[in-house]
Amino acid sequence: MATLLYRLGLLSARKPWSVIIAWLLLLGGVSGAAAAFRTPLSSTMTVEGLEFQQTLDTLKREIPDAAGGIGTVVFRTESGRFTPAQQAAVAKAVTDWEALPQVADAIDPFATQKQLDEAQRKTADGQKQLEASESKLRAAEAELAKGQGQVDGAARLGLLKGQQLTDARAKLAASTKQLADGRAQLERGKRELALGQRQVALTKDTRFVSADGTAAMTQVRFNEEIHSVSPEQRQQVTALEAQLAKTGVKTYFGKELVEDVSSVIGPGEIIGIVIAAIVLMVMLGTLVAAGLPLLMAIGGVALGTGATLALSKVVELNSVTPALGLMIGIAVGIDYALFIVNRHREQLKTGMGRTESIALAVGTAGNAVTFAGMTVFIALAALAVTGIGFLGTMGFAAAGTVACAVLINLTLLPALMSLAGHRMLPRRTWRKHGFNARGESLTDEHPRDAEHADRGWGAIVTRHPRPAIVAGLALVAFLAAPAAGLRLGLPDGGSEPQSSTGYQAYATIGEKFGEGANGPIVAVATLPAGLDELAAKDRQLDVAEALKLNSGLVSVMPAGLSKDGRTAVYQAIPKKGPADQATVDAVHQIREDAPFIKEVTGADVKVTGQTVANIDISQKLADALPPYLLIVVGLSLVLLLMVFRSVVVPLIATGGFLLSLAAAFGGVVAVYQEGTLGSIFGVTNPGAILSFLPILLIGVLFGLAMDYQMFLVSGMRESHVHGEDARRAVRTGFSHAAAVVTAAAIIMVSVFAGFVHAELTMIRPIGFGLALGVLIDAFLIRMTLTPAVMHLLGERAWWMPRWLDRIVPDVDVEGVKLVDKVQGHPHA
């Protein structure tokens, strides 16, 4: 592989303009395809085959009107209580929404609340009317009985005969039938009244206008699922905000209506890139050299993200997909270019020719970059084994962006370095190493800096390995402690910025209508066959009353019944918010109670809706976490065994990865679940951790951890292979790679940290977790614990059984054989 990459670098360096033109044509084609085929991104995460999805499919089939996506709208008045004019304005807005072709229906909160408030009075009036009708019917029955006795008596006495008797009895029969019809009607009225009373009892805690009259809430139901409603169609709903504001009504729209998934990059990300540019400039010293890694990162991201967006025509993409590709692509693109550029610069300092240096840099550092990129690619692509569609798509898209970053650094970077020529190093560096500004030798003596190995952090750590190990492990334990309470979920309006309309809607609902109103649970019951209309309604209420026994629910409101009376739908309001553990428990309780409800009512009950979807998806992801971690750890051990020809080093590297992973999990839980330092990181409503964050964190952090392991420890191995004592080789290898790894880690942390305040709030904890994970892994695990442990182990760190050494392929990641071959002194 190293020889092949050497030739590729040589070709790119000799024909730079051909390579540049080819890349420009490729980038132009991909950008055009992205512009032509891009479709709106989805903010919903679905997993086929889960119970909530099957129940939703049943609901779509049986009661289509109840299966559409729901957008929540909250109204607040600036005049204390809503005035009649303001209520009329809201009613007008509801009418306008219902006129939109994408809207199935919308609720007038004031009219609906009035109906709910009057329902109890109407049932009381109905009770009085039934009692009056009952009295009249009894009087009529008594009168009929009296008449029947008179006719029978007259007939016995012979006072009524023939036609007169026939007419009298016919009249009595008609009266009897009329009374029987009246009795049947009365009994039906009693049944309907009983149903109404039960309905009122179930909905007494349901409100659409707050008790103090200062807030109102409505639901706009669309014809399609919410993620299928285009941003333009949602904007037609939110466009009425100005119309309502004129009457003094403040309107807040739920997160599902206003979430903007089109903004992938914002100010925070730009600041991260600026910091990366500053680090590059300080380290490399020239604008040209510092600009190349940034240019490579932008090019790789443009290619990867463009291809991803173009594929959105045929594959549904989640809003996080391009953001994740952007985050990872920028970070690895800069790092990979930095490693190759640094190798080229170091070789130029020794007097190596420009073209030869470029080719050798690609064959050595580029070989390590290729292998490092492969680890990230495999770890991300392995997300497909979770069996979760959107996560697999996300993984492949991010892996593709990483592949683009590797490819562009192996081809376009050497072409641009060739054109940059002597400008890859500043003039003062040329003079320091005995060359003029064009790289021409002024002296045959080139200063050596071998003594550098005995200075700096690496020397300190290896002089005091045991204290370094103890202090490092103590810090990891402190950071990782909160991870034990990790709870997974999906973001809701409470995770939005405090100033956003999504958060304001969420907070107002929680304050005025209860936390659970932010995340209703949709229950669907399949009723027994053969029930008439009233019997079906009666059974529907039986199920509602059984559901209401759940201690985690505030109310259960019947929300629809299919035409055939077989399918009933309910809206259950939990006591707590959608991401709260109490709501998760309430959903589990409904499922546990389902057999009992079926035994009592004959109805089969299942649950669905966005709240349940979030819970089911989170559980699915939690179940996928252990096997995925096992795959990644196994992959780590196998790859590192091939790279370092050692049994011990892979165990050290993998153990270090697990430590950095635990610390990253602990930090994320502390900030985003427990709210520690929440004001600094914009966490206004701590809650469950983004359900797919742990898996993504494992995949990405694994690849990046192996990058640092490779560039640091491969230098140690190279020194050891060339004859240095194992302990001395640790210091030498560390000194060779420490500067570039430090710069790379600072850049990576800066880029990831830029996403901590991303426009898309869902990406924020991912950015924080990756930034913290890289910080811990690079500086604590790879640059402190690893050299300390390897120094303690000495020669034992490189132990490998002979039989295993014979069967494990020699990948020569650091390109030692290539260097020896090029320099003309093959290593035995």
Side-chain angles (χ1 to χ4, degrees), residues 548-574:
K548 184 64 171 61
L549 297 175
N550 189 318
S551 60
L553 301 179
V554 173
S555 65
V556 179
M557 182 174 69
L561 188 65
S562 62
K563 293 180 180 179
D564 63 1
R566 291 296 312 279
T567 304
V569 62
Y570 310 84
Q571 189 176 73
I573 305 299

Side-chain angles (χ1 to χ4, degrees), residues 11 174 208 215 446 458 495 505 516 558 570 581 633 636 702 725 828:
L11 177 64
F208 291 90
H446 306 306
S495 63
Y570 310 84
Q581 183 60 43
V633 169
S636 169
F702 163 72
D725 170 76

Side-chain angles (χ1 to χ4, degrees), residues 124 169 174 231 291 341 369 399 435 534 542 666 673 682 743:
R169 285 179 173 170
V341 167
V369 162
F435 301 94
L534 288 181
D542 287 342
Q673 183 175 309

Side-chain angles (χ1 to χ4, degrees), residues 485-496:
L486 175 66
R487 189 164 53 83
L488 301 181
L490 288 175
D492 51 36
S495 63
E496 294 295 294

